[in-house]
Amino acid sequence: MKQGDRASLPSVDRLLNSAAGAQLAGRYGRTLLLEAVRGVLAAERTRLASDPGARCPADAVLAAACAARVEALLRPSLRPVFNLSGTVLHTNLGRALLPEAAVAAAVGAMARPVNLEYDVDGAARGERDSHVEAWLTRLTGAAAAVVVNNNAAAVYLALYALARRREVLVSRGELVEIGGAFRIPDIMASAGCKLREVGTTNRTHPQDFVRALGTATGAIMKVHTSNYAVHGYTATVPESELAAIARQHAVPLINDLGSGTLVELEAFGLAHEPTPQEAIANGADVVTFSGDKLLGGPQCGLIVGRADLIEKIRRNPMKRALRLDKIRLAALEAVLRLYARPETLARDLPTLRMLTRSQAEIRTQAAGIMPVVAKAADGLATTRIVDCLSQIGSGALPVDTLPSAGIALTPRGKRRSGAADALAAAFRALPVPVIGRISEGELILDLRCLDDEHEFVFQLQHLASPDGAP
Ligand SMILES: *Cc1c(COP(=O)(O)O)cnc(C)c1O
């Protein structure tokens, strides 16, 4: 078999030492460039061997291929996207966005030594959680607090430290699964606790708990059914009543709130979501909740409650394995500080700012950018402004939606199956991927979470049709 122009292919050294090669080595370093040159030449050799008519590319073309290879390798894997999915706290898109004050605090802690576990002023702050504990007790009314990696860790650690090798009573209606990886029965098992289900799926009564209590009981647990709602013929035991039962039998009541906001959301025009302060007031001994859901902070899990129980949790060796790093502690402290001034919280905390944007404001934004979107998408889709419904996400207020607005893109040739998927893929292929949502054959871009509309609009010039044609 005759082979292509293989003999003309430059050697690795010739390409590396060419003018273009030297320039690339300056930009990327010799190690990465060498790897790319070898890869490109090997690919060329294979191509030329299989195609008798193929010509060897010029050195400049080979150098460009090498540069592309290095660029592809160096491109960050974790990168910003536009969340126009309509879900504000989107777990797969990283949940809460930190306020500027928290970003600054985190950056400060990253680059400089900090008094993480060092008592600089004799105020007995030699413990890392002390930087946020005072804020947490002040905001929740609890006596003490610890923080860990996330709420799953908080639940795990509370169970492990307080009820290992004992039974934990949970209502059958609260055996929740959150996003697959977090399931109450599984976390219970891994914490070494024996799950004891009481009551039924739709109705659980005080007597169900009382009958199940015994010498083997280590705790009673209440779980906020954060991502679903049971309607119809239902009954749950009021928290204060459950707390009284727990107290009578001298076992702790652990309340896993999931989202757990630190403010009354009604004050911001949103539906009520249980707060830790409410759970504490209702008699819970230990309350767990997430830092990056409605609270709007960094990923972490907060455990607040009775001083003796929190101390037991703090002293458990697993606390060390689950503890927070200085970066997130700095960010969390900055976020909690914002709560001291609820008057400006809806302005300063991005999560609350997005949740409280009015439909009218979002409609106005949609009208403003509509012409640019329509023009950029012209070859691909027809566009119109639509009213839509956003969701809070991350399990909070599952049945409540927020009136919003956005842009609906109807693919040209809509009947072609997969046309909407192809359109969604084209938006995801933009320099800053745009994540929308598909509904009834259309791509919906919900603008509730669109902060930087200039960057969004500017990059639309790169929008390419799904088959690659401009
Ligand atoms: C979200 C949630 C969790 C898990 O919290 P993470 O911070 O994601 O680990 C646990 N319990 C409930 C009820 C939740 O809603």
Side-chain angles (χ1 to χ4, degrees):
M1 189 179 84
K2 198 172 163 301
Q3 292 183 346
D5 194 18
R6 258 206 305 177
S8 319
L9 212 55
S11 69
V12 169
D13 277 344
R14 198 186 96 197
L15 199 53
L16 271 182
N17 296 325
S18 68
Q23 202 191 8
L24 293 180
R27 195 183 311 161
Y28 303 121
R30 225 180 132 79
T31 308
L32 282 178
L33 185 62
L34 178 61
E35 183 186 316
V37 165
R38 284 189 175 135
V40 164
L41 290 180
E44 271 306 311
R45 225 171 280 122
T46 309
R47 187 180 71 88
L48 294 172
S50 65
D51 179 0
R55 306 281 310 167
C56 173
D59 283 6
V61 174
L62 293 171
C66 293
R69 227 172 228 256
V70 179
E71 288 288 346
L73 179 79
L74 293 180
R75 204 176 64 173
S77 168
L78 189 68
R79 54 202 177 111
V81 303
F82 282 105
N83 173 13
L84 306 190
S85 66
T87 300
V88 178
L89 294 168
H90 197 303
T91 295
N92 297 349
L93 300 181
R95 292 190 186 162
L97 310 181
L98 292 183
E100 273 162 41
V103 173
V107 169
M110 285 157 89
R112 306 190 61 179
V114 289
N115 60 334
L116 181 62
E117 294 181 346
Y118 195 94
D119 186 8
V120 278
D121 53 8
R125 275 193 294 260
E127 220 272 310
R128 66 174 58 205
D129 290 352
S130 67
H131 300 288
V132 292
E133 186 175 19
W135 279 117
L136 286 169
T137 53
R138 179 188 155 105
L139 291 165
T140 64
V146 285
V147 288
V148 287
N149 180 61
N150 58 9
N151 190 35
V155 174
Y156 171 86
L157 186 60
L159 288 169
Y160 185 82
L162 303 180
R164 197 157 59 104
R165 301 207 189 91
R166 328 258 325 249
E167 283 185 0
V168 177
L169 313 188
V170 187
S171 163
R172 281 205 167 84
E174 298 176 357
L175 297 173
V176 306
E177 170 181 310
I178 287 123
F182 181 90
R183 311 176 89 192
I184 291 294
D186 296 345
I187 213 113
M188 199 73 82
S190 60
C193 300
K194 191 166 181 301
L195 170 63
R196 174 121 184 223
E197 304 172 25
V198 306
T200 64
T201 305
N202 57 331
R203 292 175 71 83
T204 300
H205 306 285
Q207 274 311 306
D208 295 325
F209 282 99
V210 172
R211 267 195 302 271
L213 276 157
T215 51
T217 312
I220 295 178
M221 185 166 175
K222 178 163 182 61
V223 186
H224 182 41
T225 55
S226 52
N227 53 3
Y228 68 99
V230 181
H231 293 289
Y233 185 57
T234 63
T236 54
V237 182
E239 273 172 52
S240 50
E241 208 167 324
L242 202 54
I245 293 170
R247 213 173 309 121
Q248 246 163 37
H249 293 80
V251 294
L253 171 63
I254 302 170
N255 190 343
D256 176 24
L257 283 186
S259 206
T261 166
L262 292 171
V263 285
E264 295 294 340
L265 289 184
E266 298 97 309
F268 298 92
L270 298 164
H272 179 74
E273 171 79 11
T275 62
Q277 42 275 43
E278 196 177 310
I280 292 290
N282 284 334
D285 297 296
V286 170
V287 180
T288 57
F289 53 106
S290 284
D292 58 349
K293 291 183 180 173
L294 281 170
L295 195 146
Q299 179 194 302
C300 61
L302 307 152
I303 313 177
V304 303
R306 235 167 70 190
D308 59 325
L309 299 177
I310 294 296
E311 189 56 22
K312 216 167 156 183
I313 292 169
R314 196 196 311 278
R315 289 184 184 286
N316 190 285
M318 279 307 291
K319 165 65 169 66
R320 167 68 191 249
L322 300 171
R323 73 185 184 182
L324 226 56
D325 65 285
K326 62 179 179 173
I327 304 168
R328 283 186 289 159
L329 266 174
L332 178 62
E333 187 192 355
V335 169
L336 294 175
R337 210 183 295 122
L338 294 180
Y339 278 89
R341 203 172 154 184
E343 300 85 0
T344 49
L345 199 60
R347 181 195 71 193
D348 298 339
L349 193 70
T351 298
L352 200 55
R353 184 166 72 230
M354 287 172 185
L355 290 175
T356 53
R357 286 187 74 196
S358 74
Q359 188 175 38
E361 181 194 337
I362 304 169
R363 273 191 199 133
T364 304
Q365 186 184 27
I369 65 170
M370 177 66 175
V372 194
V373 178
K375 186 157 176 282
D378 190 42
L380 309 174
T382 57
T383 43
R384 66 180 203 288
I385 293 174
V386 288
D387 285 347
C388 55
L389 293 170
S390 315
Q391 292 189 329
I392 294 178
S394 285
L397 307 169
V399 286
D400 287 291
T401 46
L402 310 165
S404 185
I407 296 175
L409 294 104
T410 314
R412 298 200 185 276
K414 182 183 177 182
R415 293 219 181 74
R416 206 155 32 95
S417 77
D421 291 323
L423 191 58
F427 275 86
R428 283 199 306 273
L430 285 167
V432 180
V434 172
I435 315 294
R437 118 176 137 249
I438 292 173
S439 170
E440 296 176 7
E442 293 184 318
L443 177 65
I444 311 288
L445 304 178
D446 183 330
L447 301 190
R448 174 171 295 281
C449 299
L450 181 59
D451 246 349
D452 189 348
E453 57 186 57
H454 296 292
E455 188 193 22
F456 171 73
V457 164
F458 184 71
Q459 65 154 1
L460 288 179
Q461 58 182 305
H462 298 288
L463 196 63
S465 72
D467 50 26

